[in-house]
Amino acid sequence: VVTIADVAARAGVSIATVSRVLSPGAAPHPVSADTAERVRAAARELSFVPSAMAQGLVVRRSGLIGLVVPDLLDPYYPSIASGVEQAARKSQHAVLICNTLGTESRLRDYVRLLRARRVEAIVVSGGSTLRDRQLRLLERSDVPVVLIGRPVEDGGLTYVSIDNMAAARAATEHLIQIGRTRIAHLSGATTQRTMHDRADGFFAAVRIPSIEGRLEALLLETSGAPEHGYSVVAEQLAKGPRADGIFAATDRLAIAAMAAVHDAGLQVPQDVAVIGFDDIPLAGLLRPSLSSVAQPAVQLGKEAIRLALQLAAGQRAQSVVLPARPIFRASTQP
Amino acid sequence: VVTIADVAARAGVSIATVSRVLSPGAAPHPVSADTAERVRAAARELSFVPSAMAQGLVVRRSGLIGLVVPDLLDPYYPSIASGVEQAARKSQHAVLICNTLGTESRLRDYVRLLRARRVEAIVVSGGSTLRDRQLRLLERSDVPVVLIGRPVEDGGLTYVSIDNMAAARAATEHLIQIGRTRIAHLSGATTQRTMHDRADGFFAAVRIPSIEGRLEALLLETSGAPEHGYSVVAEQLAKGPRADGIFAATDRLAIAAMAAVHDAGLQVPQDVAVIGFDDIPLAGLLRPSLSSVAQPAVQLGKEAIRLALQLAAGQRAQSVVLPARPIFRASTQP
DNA sequence: CTGAAAGCGCTTACAG
DNA sequence: CTGAAAGCGCTTACAG
């Protein structure tokens, strides 16, 4: 491939001058207008692009950010990834994608890879799924880490998260408002703080004194897998007294719940109203269309990158909690 | 951060020896057992990981692969990305993710970025959505390119694809087999070869002589956007004679079609059977569960990486066409 | 405004 | 088996 020396030769200048024209860092060095033009012409003719590896080596910044996700196939993570990618691109960073499938060994391998690449920061989506050992793995990496989603024990790690409890509470209150009196929360694994917080929000909503006694609340805990959600809901509906409203901790669980309701010969929302969480892109297309809590995925990504770059610059960074907004659709129509 | 010199000092050897122990390339250099052990111990104690940038610079291989996708929010692409990531990891490559949102300017920026990073190859998912200018942009990049999905004019570019025509034909034949006689194809933008091939497969199926005359076929063309699919289907159902079977070119369109059927007061599959394409992870969870053509996403990713590395090694690579398998669920139950 | 030179952190002939 | 040295492709004080 073509190097800076080729461009320099063609333009009849030194490589230093080429560098100054083509990569004027923070404090640009003066170069005469026509020299600059000659250099640019030569670069264009040779279709030269400076090597990011060589640049990174000398300026000691890789321009790279690692993005760790537990599972690309879960429709929630691509939304986050999309936000992170957008924000990273704006700050001139490239994103290395790391799919851990939730396993510690892959996380370990990827942390090593990201360290080797000298990434400026690691953004970990699905932060709340991390267990202690995994968090320590990240902390020990000596690379700035920003979590998206707050873990149970954040141990000082910076995170960006939504207010899961408030959002879950709002979703549940909506079920109450439309007159549901036997409300179930179909939770994910409550070992994850995200799921735990959503469950907390659920309980906060159902414990409003003014309605106490007229309301029954039940917790249906699952692993988070839709198949599990399906069977748990099917069982609840079979043995009665039936729930008439379900707040599911994720849209995948909500869709599983709708399937179980359907298969029990019941209807959403007439017999059982359902509201989910995440507002995946397909939510509005389902029938009945699925009410859900929308996460500001792009905003989360932006904030994560902002904090990551602060940390990378050696500054302190303050964790951020963003609001989430419930969207009401047909699945909770009164 | 810690460098090879730190490790060398600690182990009491030269940096050459450290390199030989820690990064034994293809032809490992002999090192005495206890020297090697001392080096490894020092590296462990200092938690040293060699800089991929420095290594890449001297060996002239970045170990990087660029993955270009048009839209992470479309549930089809994360499946592909997942396959590519898996395969890349196995071959010791890291993946840079590039979300173009279908725009040429972002594609251009990303091609430049990937060239600067000296990626060994670029894998372009959604290859069939590319227009001529975009293809030439990729060709001119001078970096090996493998497309996932075949463009209209492949101009010699290597691609991996499924046999869209055969798969579409099988899906359509299934509708015929279950007794549907007014069958519509809800297509995406047929300027994309993928969509064009699926439409061809549809027509091939409905033109079987033995059933000709007893079968009506209609093409409902859309932009590929679910909203558009919804309105096109709604219109078809409203003005009659109604289709009783729909083969949608993507699952998103199929879901939109199911919504339109539902909103017209009709039922899937009794009034209108629906089969989609892609078999997104949620297909089986819908009610009715959605029949669909499953793509071997992981396999596609693997093949793409295999071909990409062949090209990167200066060898020729043969484009690959893999079979796709229809999965029949409740939405086409007889 | 321009260039020569040092140096970023590694690998790998070359010599011993 | 080990090390000194050149060199990968850049940036940036330093000198002019």
Side-chain angles (χ1 to χ4, degrees), chain B residues 90-161:
Chain B
K90 281 197 187 137
S91 70
Q92 306 270 43
H93 288 259
V95 176
L96 286 168
I97 184 97
C98 308
N99 199 177
T100 63
L101 302 179
T103 69
E104 190 167 314
S105 74
R106 292 207 193 195
L107 179 61
R108 187 190 316 281
D109 289 351
Y110 265 127
V111 165
R112 190 186 163 85
L113 180 147
L114 295 175
R115 289 186 62 209
R117 296 278 166 192
R118 303 293 191 259
V119 295
E120 296 177 26
I122 303 180
V123 173
V124 182
S125 179
S128 75
T129 65
L130 297 174
R131 289 183 304 272
D132 264 28
R133 288 183 43 179
Q134 309 184 114
L135 287 171
R136 277 201 294 276
L137 205 60
L138 288 166
E139 284 182 303
R140 276 203 323 261
S141 76
D142 224 36
V143 179
V145 171
V146 175
L147 306 177
I148 296 185
R150 189 176 176 185
V152 178
E153 305 266 353
D154 55 41
L157 279 172
T158 305
Y159 61 87
V160 334
S161 171

Side-chain angles (χ1 to χ4, degrees), chain B residues 4 16 19-20 23 48 51 55 58:
Chain B
I4 196 173
S19 175
R20 286 167 185 145
S23 310
F48 169 71
S51 161
Q55 290 180 319
V58 19

Side-chain angles (χ1 to χ4, degrees), chain A residues 100-251:
Chain A
T100 63
L101 303 180
T103 69
E104 191 168 315
S105 72
R106 293 209 193 194
L107 179 61
R108 187 193 315 282
D109 289 351
Y110 266 127
V111 165
R112 190 186 163 86
L113 182 148
L114 295 175
R115 289 186 62 208
R117 297 277 166 194
R118 303 294 189 259
V119 295
E120 297 178 27
I122 302 180
V123 173
V124 182
S125 179
S128 76
T129 66
L130 298 173
R131 290 184 304 274
D132 264 29
R133 288 182 45 178
Q134 309 184 113
L135 288 171
R136 276 200 296 274
L137 205 60
L138 288 165
E139 284 182 303
R140 276 203 323 260
S141 76
D142 225 36
V143 178
V145 171
V146 175
L147 306 176
I148 297 184
R150 189 175 175 189
V152 178
E153 303 268 353
D154 54 41
L157 281 171
T158 306
Y159 60 88
V160 335
S161 170
I162 56 166
D163 189 339
N164 282 291
M165 186 166 155
R169 182 173 180 157
T172 309
E173 282 170 351
H174 178 242
L175 291 173
I176 298 172
Q177 270 162 23
I178 64 170
R180 304 303 156 133
T181 55
R182 283 190 56 77
I183 303 183
H185 175 46
L186 185 63
S187 85
T190 50
T191 49
Q192 297 176 27
R193 175 192 275 250
T194 299
M195 298 305 158
H196 198 263
D197 288 354
R198 289 176 192 175
D200 278 355
F202 167 75
F203 284 116
V206 295
R207 279 194 195 119
I208 296 169
S210 66
I211 51 164
E212 203 130 21
R214 285 175 290 145
L215 198 61
E216 284 185 79
L218 55 160
L219 178 66
L220 304 176
E221 189 161 355
T222 78
S223 63
E227 297 70 24
H228 192 192
Y230 178 91
S231 62
V232 164
V233 172
E235 191 183 340
Q236 201 290 318
L237 296 175
K239 75 165 185 227
R242 285 202 321 250
D244 59 5
I246 296 178
F247 162 48
T250 69
D251 282 350

Side-chain angles (χ1 to χ4, degrees), chain A residues 4 16 19-20 23 48 51 55 58:
Chain A
I4 196 173
S19 174
R20 285 167 183 143
S23 310
F48 169 71
S51 161
Q55 290 181 317
V58 18

